[in-house]
């Protein structure tokens, strides 16, 4: 084995995640979660549901996120979910999910495709009405949707009353972070 | 109305009293009808300069007061608003988001000059101390790559993960050439046509497992190809068991090209990557210092070349590790300009040739369109007009006088022909300076081009006001047999 250790960088390009408090909002770069997509193969819906249930892996309905340990999940499309798991134990999430689902589903590692920023604060609806067309006032925690923030396609995961994750494409991490900071400053 | 001649009401939309009278005669007396009939008040002033006047004329014609005649809806802005206020923050650097490559921080440290490709910022060239002209940097990057080894961040190329028991059959539909014969652990260049038979995109697809592929697309078409494949999957072949997801951003990918590419990578890769273990067009899942990685032995530059991919968080560390390991070979990083020079030297098509109006046959790739299977675009690519032997063919171009410059967009004319559309024989698509040949070279499309190799024509550019005598050649200027990439 080559005598070599490659040091990871966060999506914002640093050794450690960023954290920024602006007014009543706390913005955090989150890198402790592995992501893998899970899509049912033809005729395997029941098999996937059985295996997921046996593993305690939630398969939420449209526009939903469901927590769980070690696996949480949000809905991507018909018969398709993004699975979340702790990075420390599931860095190779593809291998873990393949072990659970075998050939009943198509599984793709997605961890480094995305940058995740968690925003904590009391006035999240006011913040997000500046950022995207999603009106949180009519929704509740557990809601997960795809939207656009400053031209960037993102997932919004409303995890608990005062906390939302914005998951956007990793290459646009800096632009997305800037958009979040700018909107937060406008309300500070 | 007193006075002679025309009396203007709406200065912006050229509405006169006569127009309002005509509207009245035609019974467009309601103000909303008057507005639509004459365009009164529809300009950017929203009627603020002319509406009251126009309504007063109509009121007089109908014998009613203005309030009874009515008013139309004024749309904002009611008062002048600076364009900057409407643009808000969306200006300058804030106009659109940027996409940064995994080597962006490293390239910035090197003083790279960046170019926007889609929203990506890619290194265009990386000047070194003392280099004052871009050509010096680009020539150095090309020569160093062909002499030893060069590295290029190719993360921006689209990557699409394709899985499912019918993935293989699906690729046979999506690509004009055959993929069902591709063995696990192998890559193949694929040509994707639109339904009308024109070339849509190209790239290599690697078979990582029995029903697991990763497709590469051009940078600019990454989203378009993904959307196209989703259309095929959902609408045309809903019974196929195939699943797609983009992994463009999930992997940092570098091309390592040149005669010393293998020696450099062998220092980092834990597995055997000799020619026997990983022959040309092979691919494998490997480790680098124990870290999961992928390697593809593919070449755009025409050199012995590999693309190596690691999870994106390690992309910055990998470019530094590659440069450290490459120091003994005087490795360089090359940008998109050098990439362009090398692909033109090899006669590979890129965006300027993949212009949406060109078929596989035009590109000299007609034999890639398999007639043994049905694929998107195959049937229409065989239309009479599409297989004309005198149609456009991809050719190489060099100036008869090596000191003369070629310009893209110049059109080919016979000697003595007038520079008019009727005499037009084709055009130059891409032009670069080849540091190996010491002069400019071009690719272009020329009517019946295959039969014209060796002929001399004029390349006339009326916009640049240039005329150059050129010789038509094969598009393969460098190592036409491909010995280097199989080395």
């Amino acid at each position: 084995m080559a005598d070599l250790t490659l040091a990871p960088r966060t999506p914002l390009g640093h050794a450690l995640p960023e954290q920024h408090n602006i007014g009543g909002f706390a913005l955090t770069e989150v890198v402790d979660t592995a992501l893998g997509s899970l899509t049912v193969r033809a005729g395997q819906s029941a098999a996937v549901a059985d295996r997921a249930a046996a593993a305690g892996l939630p398969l939420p309905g449209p526009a939903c996120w469901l927590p769980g340990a070690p696996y949480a999940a949000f809905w991507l499309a018909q018969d398709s979910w993004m699975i979340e798991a702790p990075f420390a134990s599931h860095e190779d999430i593809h291998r873990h999910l393949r072990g659970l689902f075998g050939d009943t589903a198509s599984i793709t590692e997605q961890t480094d495709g995305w940058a995740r920023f968690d925003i904590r604060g009391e006035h999240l609806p006011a913040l997000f009405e500046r950022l995207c067309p999603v009106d949180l006032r009519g929704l509740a925690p557990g809601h997960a949707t795809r939207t656009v923030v400053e031209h960037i396609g993102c997932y919004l995961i409303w995890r608990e009353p005062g906390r939302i994750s914005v998951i956007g494409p990793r290459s646009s991490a800096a632009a997305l972070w800037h958009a979040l900071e700018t909107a937060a400053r406008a309300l500070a | 109305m007193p006075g002679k001649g025309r009396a203007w009401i709406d200065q912006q939309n050229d509405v006169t009293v006569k127009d309002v009278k005509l509207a009245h005669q035609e019974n467009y007396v309601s103000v909303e009808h008057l507005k639509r009939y004459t365009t009164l008040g529809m300009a950017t002033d929203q009627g603020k300069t002319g509406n009251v006047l126009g309504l007063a004329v109509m009121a007089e014609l109908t014998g009613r007061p203005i309030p009874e005649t009515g008013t139309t809806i004024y749309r904002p802005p009611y008062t002048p608003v600076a364009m900057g206020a409407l643009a808000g923050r969306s200006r300058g650097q804030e106009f659109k988001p940027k996409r940064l490559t995994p080597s962006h921080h490293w390239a910035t440290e090197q003083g790279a000059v960046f170019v926007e490709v889609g929203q990506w910022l890619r290194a265009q060239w990386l000047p070194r101390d003392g280099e004052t002209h871009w050509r010096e940097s680009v020539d150095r990057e090309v020569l160093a790559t062909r002499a030893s080894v060069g590295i290029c961040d190719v993360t921006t190329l689209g990557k699409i993960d394709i899985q499912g028991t019918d993935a293989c059959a699906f690729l046979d539909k999506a690509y004009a050439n055959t993929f069902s014969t591709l063995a696990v652990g192998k890559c193949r260049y694929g040509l994707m046509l639109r339904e009308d038979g024109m070339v849509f995109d190209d790239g290599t697809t690697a078979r990582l497992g029995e029903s697991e592929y990763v497709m590469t697309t051009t940078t600019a078409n990454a989203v378009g190809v993904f959307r196209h494949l989703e259309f095929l999957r959902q609408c045309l072949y809903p019974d196929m068991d195939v699943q797609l997801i983009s992994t463009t951003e999930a992997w940092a990918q570098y091309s390592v090209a040149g005669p010393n590419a293998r020696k450099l990578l062998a220092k980092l890769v834990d597995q055997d990557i000799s020619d026997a273990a990983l022959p040309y067009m092979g691919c494998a899942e490997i480790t680098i210092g124990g870290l999961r990685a992928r390697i593809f032995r593919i070449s755009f530059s025409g050199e012995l070349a590999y693309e190596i991919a690691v999870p994106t968080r390690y992309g910055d560390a990998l470019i530094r590790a590659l440069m450290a390991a490459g120091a003994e070979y005087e490795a360089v990083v090359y940008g998109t300009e050098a990439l362009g020079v090398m692909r033109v030297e090899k006669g590979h098509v890129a965006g300027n040739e993949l212009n949406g109006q060109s078929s596989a046959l035009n590109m000299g790739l007609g034999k890639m369109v398999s007639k043994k299977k049905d694929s998107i675009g195959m049937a229409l690519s065989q239309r009479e007009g599409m297989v004309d032997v005198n149609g456009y063919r991809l050719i190489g171009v060099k100036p008869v006088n090596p000191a003369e410059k070629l310009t893209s967009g110049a059109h080919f004319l016979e000697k003595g022909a007038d520079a008019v559309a009727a005499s037009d024989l084709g055009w130059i698509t891409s032009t670069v300076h080849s540091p190996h040949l010491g002069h400019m070279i071009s690719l272009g499309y020329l009517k019946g081009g295959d039969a014209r190799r060796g002929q001399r024509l004029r390349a006339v550019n009326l916009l640049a006001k240039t005329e150059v005598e050129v010789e038509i050649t094969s598009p393969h200027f460098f190592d036409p047999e491909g010995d280097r990439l199989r080395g």
Side-chain angles (χ1 to χ4, degrees):
Chain A
M1 187 180 289
D3 181 21
L4 178 73
T5 306
L6 298 180
R9 290 242 186 176
T10 70
L12 287 174
H14 306 299
L16 295 170
E18 290 270 316
Q19 160 83 41
H20 195 177
N21 294 328
I22 301 171
F25 300 104
L27 279 56
T28 314
E29 183 182 19
V30 179
V31 296
D32 67 357
T33 305
L35 298 176
S37 63
L38 174 79
T39 306
V40 176
R41 287 191 178 169
Q44 300 288 348
S45 293
V48 168
D50 288 349
R51 289 171 186 229
L57 185 151
L59 295 177
C64 285
W65 169 79
L66 282 174
Y71 298 108
F74 60 92
W75 186 87
L76 292 180
Q78 189 177 15
D79 289 334
S80 189
W81 297 267
M82 190 76 88
I83 311 299
E84 300 178 318
F87 184 85
S89 55
H90 289 69
E91 186 274 326
D92 192 359
I93 192 169
H94 179 272
R95 187 175 57 80
H96 288 273
L97 294 176
R98 185 60 80 203
L100 289 178
F101 292 95
D103 287 336
T104 62
S106 288
I107 292 151
T108 304
E109 179 178 321
Q110 287 282 323
T111 307
D112 278 5
W114 304 91
R116 172 177 153 190
F117 302 124
D118 278 12
I119 298 120
R120 287 185 169 81
E122 274 184 47
H123 302 293
L124 294 175
L127 182 72
F128 279 88
E129 72 186 359
R130 285 174 173 264
L131 288 165
C132 64
V134 179
D135 183 4
L136 296 177
R137 291 182 182 86
L139 303 168
H143 186 79
T145 190
R146 176 115 189 173
T147 186
V148 175
V149 176
E150 290 283 341
H151 310 281
I152 303 167
C154 294
Y155 291 103
L156 289 194
I157 315 295
W158 196 352
R159 294 183 190 273
E160 57 194 351
R163 181 164 68 112
I164 284 185
S165 297
V166 179
I167 300 178
R170 185 179 176 113
S171 67
S172 303
L176 181 57
W177 179 255
H178 177 65
L180 298 176
E181 284 182 325
T182 306
R185 263 201 304 273
L187 292 171
Chain B
M1 293 295 140
K4 277 186 172 178
R6 292 191 177 193
W8 266 270
I9 292 172
D10 186 327
Q11 304 279 357
Q12 274 194 296
N13 269 0
D14 216 14
V15 180
T16 63
V17 170
K18 188 181 161 195
D19 295 323
V20 178
K21 285 182 181 167
L22 190 62
H24 178 247
Q25 284 168 18
E26 296 270 353
N27 201 30
Y28 291 108
V29 290
S30 139
V31 289
E32 294 293 346
H33 288 154
L34 170 66
K35 176 180 177 179
R36 281 152 187 79
Y37 186 83
T38 63
T39 71
L40 173 71
M42 283 190 189
T44 50
D45 76 324
Q46 284 291 295
K48 280 193 287 291
T49 61
N51 255 23
V52 172
L53 214 57
L55 298 173
V57 173
M58 181 57 82
E60 190 174 296
L61 291 167
T62 54
R64 292 179 300 173
I66 293 177
E68 258 181 54
T69 309
T71 54
T72 57
I73 295 168
Y74 304 109
R75 288 177 180 80
Y78 294 99
T79 54
V81 174
M83 292 304 286
L86 297 175
R89 295 194 307 273
S90 304
R91 56 199 150 117
Q93 295 288 309
E94 307 268 327
F95 185 62
K96 57 185 173 185
K98 292 188 186 79
R99 300 177 77 183
L100 305 183
T101 65
S103 65
H104 186 82
H105 296 285
W106 180 87
T108 304
E109 291 166 20
Q110 306 302 309
V113 174
F114 293 99
V115 58
E116 275 187 47
V117 186
Q119 290 172 334
W120 289 100
L121 292 183
R122 296 190 76 181
Q124 199 170 9
W125 64 85
L126 298 94
R128 285 194 178 165
D129 287 345
E131 291 174 348
T132 55
H133 189 277
W134 65 271
R135 261 277 310 284
E136 291 177 77
S137 310
V138 173
D139 285 1
R140 171 183 51 75
E141 290 168 13
V142 171
L143 291 169
T145 300
R146 296 228 191 271
S148 182
V149 60
I151 298 156
C152 184
D153 190 328
V154 294
T155 303
T156 63
L157 274 78
K159 305 174 201 79
I160 301 171
D161 205 63
I162 303 173
Q163 296 186 35
T165 52
D166 293 321
C168 183
F170 181 77
L171 285 169
D172 266 352
K173 294 288 188 192
Y175 275 133
N177 52 319
T178 304
F179 270 78
S180 47
T181 54
L182 183 68
V184 174
K186 291 287 184 185
C187 313
R188 184 169 290 172
Y189 174 75
L191 200 61
M192 196 178 287
L193 307 186
R194 297 191 312 226
E195 194 72 88
D196 66 2
M198 296 299 180
V199 174
F200 175 35
D201 201 66
D202 69 343
T204 54
T205 288
R207 188 170 194 175
L208 297 176
E210 196 53 41
S211 40
E212 196 169 337
Y213 297 78
V214 59
M215 173 187 283
T216 310
T217 75
T218 60
T219 297
N221 262 344
V223 172
V225 170
F226 188 84
R227 189 183 295 144
H228 173 70
L229 294 184
E230 274 293 338
F231 173 75
L232 300 188
R233 183 184 77 83
Q234 294 182 35
C235 303
L236 300 189
Y237 310 114
D239 295 332
M240 278 193 181
D241 177 31
V242 59
Q243 293 82 36
L244 312 169
I245 194 160
S246 170
T247 55
T248 303
E249 313 233 348
W251 295 85
Q253 196 151 322
Y254 295 100
S255 169
V256 182
N260 287 318
R262 184 186 294 129
K263 285 185 203 157
L264 192 167
L265 285 174
K267 291 170 73 175
L268 302 182
V269 175
D270 300 326
Q271 291 77 14
D272 176 15
I273 55 164
S274 66
D275 189 53
L278 187 67
Y280 179 57
M281 296 307 264
C283 66
E285 296 188 273
I286 51 156
T287 56
I288 296 176
L291 171 70
R292 284 175 295 112
R294 292 170 171 176
I295 192 166
F296 310 87
R297 189 170 159 195
I298 53 180
S299 177
F300 193 53
S301 57
E303 296 299 324
L304 166 67
Y306 301 83
E307 287 188 11
I308 185 158
V310 291
T312 310
R313 61 186 175 274
Y314 297 109
D316 177 80
L318 182 58
I319 185 69
R320 293 172 199 276
L322 286 166
M323 289 307 282
E328 64 174 295
Y329 306 112
E330 298 183 331
V332 297
V333 166
Y334 60 94
T336 54
E337 284 295 324
L339 182 73
V341 171
M342 289 191 277
R343 72 99 187 165
V344 171
E345 286 181 335
K346 282 297 289 182
H348 291 312
V349 291
N352 289 9
E353 289 76 35
L354 294 160
N355 62 350
Q357 299 175 302
S358 305
S359 68
L361 188 59
N362 294 150
M363 293 174 193
L365 302 172
K367 287 181 182 155
M368 285 189 69
V369 181
S370 170
K371 296 177 193 72
K372 293 180 185 162
K373 66 179 178 97
D374 184 33
S375 63
I376 298 297
M378 190 278 276
L380 291 184
S381 77
Q382 304 305 311
R383 280 175 294 166
E384 195 179 337
M386 297 279 278
V387 295
D388 180 359
V389 290
N390 285 316
Y392 292 117
R393 294 293 182 277
L394 186 76
I395 42 92
V397 184
K398 62 180 187 184
V400 171
N401 172 359
E404 289 206 276
K405 286 185 178 175
L406 301 172
T407 52
S408 294
H411 281 251
F412 300 119
L413 296 168
E414 298 277 12
K415 283 173 192 164
D418 289 338
V420 294
S423 317
D424 182 27
L425 295 173
W427 70 98
I428 291 178
T429 52
S430 299
T431 295
V432 298
H433 178 269
S434 167
H436 290 91
L437 299 171
H439 57 75
M440 296 191 84
I441 55 171
S442 299
L443 297 176
Y445 286 123
L446 177 64
K447 285 177 185 168
D450 290 342
R452 285 180 173 268
R453 289 185 191 177
Q455 289 186 8
R456 289 186 176 187
L457 295 170
R458 293 151 61 216
V460 176
N461 188 328
L462 295 178
L463 283 175
K465 296 189 170 57
T466 58
E467 174 163 342
V468 180
E469 188 181 18
V470 296
E471 183 181 325
I472 305 306
T473 70
S474 153
H476 309 293
F477 294 95
F478 187 83
D479 187 32
E481 304 303 322
D483 295 334
R484 295 172 74 93
L485 53 85
R486 289 183 179 80

